[in-house]
Amino acid sequence: MAVAQKLQLIQKMQIKGGCRLEGVTSVSGGKNTAVAIIPAVLLCDEPCVIENLPDIDDVRVLAEMMRHLGASVALEGNTMHIDPRGVSGHSVPAKLAQRMRASYYLIGALLGRLGRAEVPYPGGCMLGPRPIDQHIKGMEALGATVVCHSDGVFAEVDELRGNDIFFDLVTVGGTINVMLSAVRAVGNTTIYNAAKEPHIVDLANFLNSMGARVKGAGTDIIRIRGVQKLRGCTYAVIPDQIETGTLMIAAAATHGDVTIRGCIPTHMDALTAKLLELGANITDSDDSIRVRSNGAHRAVNIKTQVYPGFPTDLQQPMSALLTTARGTSIITENIFEQRFRHLMEMERMGASARIVDRVAIIDGVSGLFGSSVYVTDLRAGAALVVAGLMAEGVTEIANTQYIDRGYENLESKLRSLGADIRRVEVEDYSPMIEIIRE
Ligand code: EPU
């Protein structure tokens, strides 16, 4: 048996670095909000219209999963019409579930609707171990029997009953999944040590628009009074906090002057504070942020935290910016075990970084140069785009499907601000090894 790599046409993102970003752009709807709100429609007995959805692969895959379960779904641009009345299926196919992380929200939503859910283990970004023990603990506290087998999770319950749930750690996914299970449970549920991210608040607002009774979202105690029935509604998801942050970082990284419209500046406070600390100039209004930079950036230290701390999802693009800041930056990744693989790719562009467990020590260099790099996860993709914008020469980014999972029209937004960025099809060796039997 011999092993060979296969030469094939693959899509890459090509960036000619060194262009200063300048102008006005707008932010799309929140990915991590959208992927919680779409499954939540399963809890309702009437059609819903969800607006301001980002036009990204994760949303399209969720639409397919909802159809598979029996919902009627029409996705037109950024609006999804979902009629969940025909839902009778409780089982999600692996080929869909494994394409994204948020497929696990279907466990909570299907338990709430049908009392039964069979969902393969989710896919999504590989950031180290991503257990779901707290989701399961919460659902079991509500009376469900949850069995984890080799292919996925099977959960079943005759009647969900409200209870007190104290999470061992703060989990965004666990908080959302238990909220979904609890809104139609009999009685009251209290979630202690809940996550406080903006999308938790947005989900609570959506559930309440359907007639649920959720209080306290945005604090660490969420109280839910179960209701028997939810009604249809029209709801627009909040702007994407991480896309806003990525654009802010790209503006500073290119010594640019960019105004981002349609965002919620208070959601960006942790990033804004760090960008000010490194030397950028930031002003905001009710729904826009302007980032200006002359490029004289100082090193800063970052510790990722749950909201309102510095978000792990912006750690990666921010560390790209820090590769050329004057001095040594220390980044501590407290949420995920392995979220520094982008830095190894950036070493090919001249970055200097040492990684010790969950700490990255970045020694600022005078500049990056273009190279061929490979995306390992969604925000690593964003980080490599930022690095490509900063670098001298051409950067070719492979494995861009990760970026398409979570950013709507990133290239055209950056292009409209002056970036030289495009998709190309090039002949390359497939990263997949092909085994040839002799
Ligand atoms: N954790 C457990 N047990 C659990 C759940 C989580 O040990 O039952 C641990 C995880 O292993 C991790 C930490 O707790 O170390 C935080 O995990 P969390 O549940 O908060 O994250 P998640 O739900 O898996 C969501 C976002 C991520 C984002 C994190 C943190 C979605 C679909 N994903 O993940 O988004 O990084 O919250 O804010 O909403 C991204 O958008 O690129 C992304 C990865």
Side-chain angles (χ1 to χ4, degrees):
M1 197 193 294
V3 175
Q5 281 192 315
K6 196 175 168 190
L7 192 63
Q8 61 176 23
L9 267 185
I10 64 167
Q11 221 187 49
K12 288 192 176 185
M13 199 182 268
Q14 203 175 66
I15 305 174
K16 188 155 177 263
C19 299
R20 181 172 185 264
L21 297 188
E22 210 172 349
V24 180
T25 188
S26 57
V27 72
S28 302
K31 168 182 98 78
N32 289 343
T33 305
V35 297
I37 284 179
I38 295 167
V41 175
L42 290 174
L43 296 165
C44 173
D45 302 303
E46 294 170 10
C48 285
V49 181
I50 315 296
E51 298 173 338
N52 199 35
L53 288 169
D55 185 7
I56 54 173
D57 283 353
D58 272 14
V59 165
R60 289 184 278 273
V61 173
L62 255 180
E64 269 185 68
M65 285 194 245
M66 298 287 283
R67 282 188 198 108
H68 179 88
L69 295 170
S72 152
V73 181
L75 181 56
E76 290 152 14
N78 300 97
T79 301
M80 194 184 282
H81 296 257
I82 312 174
D83 184 345
R85 284 173 294 188
V87 168
S88 57
H90 68 276
S91 156
V92 181
K95 69 175 194 315
L96 293 177
Q98 285 163 358
R99 284 175 63 187
M100 61 187 300
R101 188 79 196 151
S103 47
Y104 56 26
Y105 294 146
L106 291 166
I107 309 173
L110 283 167
L111 262 187
R113 183 179 177 103
L114 301 172
R116 210 158 206 253
E118 187 157 20
V119 181
Y121 292 117
C125 295
M126 299 291 292
L127 310 173
R130 297 180 77 176
I132 56 167
D133 56 301
Q134 299 300 303
H135 305 226
I136 293 170
K137 168 177 148 167
M139 290 171 198
E140 286 178 339
L142 300 179
T145 301
V146 185
V147 180
C148 295
H149 51 82
S150 56
D151 298 328
V153 178
F154 179 72
E156 199 172 26
V157 70
D158 285 337
E159 184 178 70
L160 288 162
R161 293 199 156 264
N163 204 344
D164 288 353
I165 293 151
F166 201 112
F167 281 130
D168 297 342
L169 48 75
V170 179
T171 154
V172 172
T175 303
I176 289 174
N177 236 339
V178 172
M179 286 168 75
L180 295 175
S181 312
V183 284
R184 282 181 60 169
V186 176
N188 298 335
T189 297
T190 305
I191 306 173
Y192 296 93
N193 202 21
K196 294 181 281 203
E197 267 64 7
H199 37 292
I200 306 277
V201 179
D202 206 31
L203 174 66
N205 288 340
F206 171 64
L207 292 168
N208 288 341
S209 303
M210 294 197 294
R213 300 180 71 180
V214 181
K215 285 187 175 162
T219 76
D220 52 14
I221 302 180
I222 299 178
R223 297 179 198 281
I224 300 169
R225 177 170 292 198
V227 295
Q228 278 188 343
K229 212 171 153 53
L230 296 176
R231 56 177 181 270
C233 70
T234 296
Y235 191 85
V237 306
I238 54 168
D240 197 302
Q241 174 202 5
I242 306 304
E243 187 202 359
T244 306
T246 304
L247 293 166
M248 289 170 71
I249 291 166
T254 58
H255 316 170
D257 180 353
V258 173
T259 300
I260 302 153
R261 290 215 174 117
C263 61
I264 302 179
T266 50
H267 290 171
M268 307 313 304
D269 285 348
L271 174 67
T272 298
K274 277 296 155 194
L275 289 176
L276 288 171
E277 194 181 324
L278 69 71
N281 182 308
I282 302 192
T283 46
D284 61 31
S285 69
D286 284 352
D287 66 350
S288 76
I289 296 183
R290 181 176 180 191
V291 179
R292 279 172 290 170
S293 171
N294 62 10
H297 296 149
R298 291 180 288 275
V300 295
N301 296 336
I302 290 175
K303 292 184 173 148
T304 61
Q305 301 282 350
V306 294
Y307 189 81
F310 193 95
T312 173
D313 294 343
L314 288 176
Q315 174 267 106
Q316 292 166 289
M318 186 69 175
S319 61
L321 168 57
L322 292 176
T323 58
T324 62
R326 189 163 31 84
T328 300
S329 300
I330 298 176
I331 301 186
T332 310
E333 172 53 64
N334 289 311
I335 308 296
F336 291 108
E337 273 181 31
Q338 289 162 28
R339 213 169 190 183
F340 287 134
R341 289 190 289 173
H342 59 292
L343 285 173
M344 291 177 228
E345 289 297 306
M346 272 180 233
E347 281 182 4
R348 298 185 206 195
M349 303 174 72
S352 169
R354 279 164 292 147
I355 296 157
V356 185
D357 298 328
R358 288 180 172 218
V359 177
I361 302 143
I362 300 175
D363 291 317
V365 294
S366 56
L368 301 179
F369 45 83
S371 185
S372 282
V373 288
Y374 189 82
V375 177
T376 51
D377 57 80
L378 168 58
R379 308 302 171 188
L384 292 173
V385 169
V386 170
L389 293 169
M390 294 162 71
E392 196 179 317
V394 176
T395 297
E396 275 193 353
I397 303 177
N399 216 19
T400 48
Q401 69 272 18
Y402 273 112
I403 300 173
D404 300 333
R405 273 193 44 212
Y407 287 92
E408 173 177 330
N409 296 331
L410 184 61
E411 286 126 285
S412 52
K413 286 185 187 180
L414 291 172
R415 222 173 7 249
S416 76
L417 295 170
D420 186 342
I421 179 170
R422 60 197 175 119
R423 289 281 166 124
V424 290
E425 286 215 319
V426 292
E427 264 200 342
D428 204 341
Y429 285 101
S430 154
M432 304 297 292
I433 304 262
E434 191 187 39
I435 297 177
I436 304 169
R437 292 184 192 283
E438 291 172 334

